[in-house]
Amino acid sequence: MDFKNLKEFMDHLTDWIIPGNSIVVYKDGEQVFSYQSGYSDLENKIPMKGGELFNIYSCSKPTTVVAALQLYERGKFLLDDPLYDFIPEFKHVRVRLENGETEAARTPITMRHLFTMTAGLDYNTNAPWRARAKARTGGRMETLAVARAIAEEPLHFHPGTKWNYSMCHDLLAAAVEAISGQKFRDYVREHIFEPLDMKTACYHPNDRVYAQMAQQYQYEVVGANDSVKLQAGLLHGSDGVVVNHGKGNHLVFGDEYDSGGAGIITSVEDYAKLANALANGGVGATGEKILGSGTVRLLATDQILSRSIDTSNFNWMQLTGYGYGLGVRTMVDRAKSGFNGAVGEFGWGGAAGATILVDPDTRLAYFYAHHMLNPQETYYQPRLRNAVFSAF
């Protein structure tokens, strides 16, 4: 194993516009590489050391998928069971038509639709459901209460007909709550974080967590005449500047809202333990099994390209050559992807630069993070994958 290319690429990113980054790589169940570059605090020039915590945003989704699939393995639901079996408010959902009118959904939202982003939802977090849920809960925004408010909104298309990145995995977390009888955060802690010895991972920060977090930045595109933003910039790229954004997460709506789609705060070292477990048939380095190997394979099986589903929104450049499984991208065409890894590799990315990769065939896994919103993922994600796989 030679990680020279990976180290040099991470240094290139921090020489460019990424304030700081960190990675942990596992192979055959063992941690084989860890590296950090740049700064956790750019203003004060504090180097990235490896123990920092990050908002990982949509990299939270694989955890939500694993939590739900654990209940699937226990016989609590089948993929094509309707969501209303567990959250009755979804029994009579409607779909908004182009003329503004609504009609009854042709099929109910199923658990499969939530896993695969085909439920008819969007990612508008300022839609009317948010104000309703806030008023009903006094601002606490309990996970199930938010889901029930979303059920009152018309869908944007009939379930199962289109892929659209959306609040699906937030509803999946609510379904885990309803099925398990536990708060989502408690279920995940008991059944995933603790068995894998993920000591730092959590959904809601306290003062200690905030103190351990790397500073969170944002890359803002600016024009040559935008002098205020240009002066505020801590780093300058070809078309924008990096500014401090604060450590908050706008997708966590309240103290009682456990965001299945974007809520986890964790260190790179800890979240890499989840990636490693998935690369090794669902068994972590602790010896604890969180999923069966067949379920991991199902998770990574494409669910949209082989079905009559409109995939026009599944067009992100870094997903070329990929399908979409049960909540993760999954590589289906090496030629189209231009990727030097294996068909069947899967994972996902997050809004501030986190990315998880799992390859069950070679038992390779990594978790990488930087902490910059607008993370330039079309640039760094495919190049990072190639640099990691070049080591083997």
Side-chain angles (χ1 to χ4, degrees):
M1 291 177 283
D2 181 357
F3 290 97
K4 178 176 180 289
N5 291 339
L6 176 56
K7 180 179 179 295
E8 289 182 352
F9 180 67
M10 289 177 64
D11 289 343
H12 159 68
L13 291 177
T14 56
D15 287 341
W16 177 43
I17 58 166
I18 306 301
N21 54 28
S22 180
I23 195 169
V24 167
V25 182
Y26 275 84
K27 182 72 168 69
D28 298 322
E30 300 289 335
Q31 186 182 132
V32 294
F33 185 70
S34 174
Y35 185 68
Q36 296 79 41
S37 181
Y39 299 102
S40 64
D41 183 330
L42 187 60
E43 295 92 323
N44 295 298
K45 297 295 186 287
I46 298 174
M48 193 76 75
K49 297 177 181 176
E52 298 85 359
L53 305 184
F54 300 84
N55 290 312
I56 67 169
Y57 293 98
S58 288
C59 263
S60 305
K61 289 176 168 69
T63 290
T64 301
V65 167
V66 169
L69 286 174
Q70 288 177 335
L71 297 173
Y72 158 92
E73 288 188 329
R74 290 164 54 191
K76 299 296 185 181
F77 68 88
L78 298 175
L79 289 180
D80 293 319
D81 284 349
L83 176 58
Y84 66 68
D85 278 356
F86 315 109
I87 308 177
E89 287 79 1
F90 284 92
K91 181 140 192 186
H92 301 292
V93 293
R94 300 186 67 80
V95 176
R96 189 178 300 282
L97 306 176
E98 290 185 4
N99 63 10
E101 297 181 359
T102 66
E103 66 180 15
R106 295 173 196 149
T107 60
I109 296 173
T110 67
M111 297 296 285
R112 187 193 302 270
H113 295 149
L114 295 185
F115 278 105
T116 60
M117 295 286 177
T118 58
L121 304 173
D122 67 4
Y123 236 134
N124 179 8
T125 58
N126 290 312
W129 58 259
R130 183 166 178 173
R132 285 198 303 270
K134 185 175 181 180
R136 291 171 184 171
T137 65
R140 295 184 306 277
M141 301 292 277
E142 291 91 343
T143 308
L144 269 170
V146 171
R148 292 176 181 126
I150 292 174
E152 299 173 31
E153 296 286 321
L155 302 177
H156 295 273
F157 52 88
H158 287 280
T161 63
K162 185 175 183 176
W163 187 92
N164 194 49
Y165 202 51
S166 65
M167 293 283 289
C168 278
H169 291 173
D170 287 67
L171 291 189
L172 192 60
V176 170
E177 277 206 4
I179 295 168
S180 69
Q182 292 181 271
K183 283 186 177 182
F184 182 68
R185 71 184 84 168
D186 295 335
Y187 180 91
V188 170
R189 185 184 67 251
E190 180 181 341
H191 295 276
I192 300 174
F193 293 165
E194 289 179 352
L196 295 180
D197 195 32
M198 297 167 63
K199 292 188 170 92
T200 66
C202 65
Y203 283 88
H204 296 276
N206 54 27
D207 290 344
R208 178 186 57 78
V209 170
Y210 269 123
Q212 289 182 254
M213 289 180 74
Q215 293 294 327
Q216 182 174 237
Y217 300 92
Q218 179 162 316
Y219 186 73
E220 296 188 0
V221 176
V222 298
N225 297 322
D226 196 341
S227 60
V228 174
K229 282 189 177 179
L230 286 169
Q231 290 173 12
L234 300 166
L235 287 173
H236 290 68
S238 59
D239 62 352
V241 296
V242 174
V243 298
N244 195 307
H245 188 74
K247 296 179 181 179
N249 180 344
H250 68 285
L251 294 172
V252 177
F253 308 130
D255 291 342
E256 293 300 319
Y257 187 71
D258 301 340
S259 172
I264 292 176
I265 298 168
T266 183
S267 67
V268 168
E269 182 176 4
D270 263 1
Y271 213 64
K273 295 173 183 176
L274 172 65
N276 172 60
L278 293 174
N280 287 274
V283 180
T286 59
E288 295 283 344
K289 186 178 83 168
I290 59 167
L291 277 185
S293 59
T295 310
V296 175
R297 294 288 183 182
L298 176 62
L299 181 157
T301 300
D302 171 63
Q303 298 278 329
I304 63 170
L305 301 181
S306 58
R307 293 168 174 260
S308 299
I309 292 172
D310 178 351
T311 58
S312 57
N313 288 345
F314 192 74
N315 59 359
W316 306 348
M317 191 174 74
Q318 69 270 25
L319 297 180
T320 301
Y322 284 79
Y324 193 78
L326 297 180
V328 292
R329 67 164 195 271
T330 181
M331 218 263 272
V332 297
D333 191 319
R334 182 181 289 151
K336 284 185 178 179
S337 72
F339 173 43
N340 59 1
V343 170
E345 167 266 305
F346 65 89
W348 201 246
T355 188
I356 186 171
L357 180 142
V358 176
D359 181 7
D361 283 346
T362 62
R363 299 175 69 199
L364 170 66
Y366 69 76
F367 183 65
Y368 163 96
H370 56 253
H371 215 198
M372 185 182 79
L373 294 158
N374 190 4
Q376 309 300 299
E377 58 191 353
T378 59
Y379 180 83
Y380 88 86
Q381 278 199 16
R383 288 170 170 83
L384 179 69
R385 294 196 293 260
N386 291 341
V388 170
F389 274 80
S390 76
F392 299 93

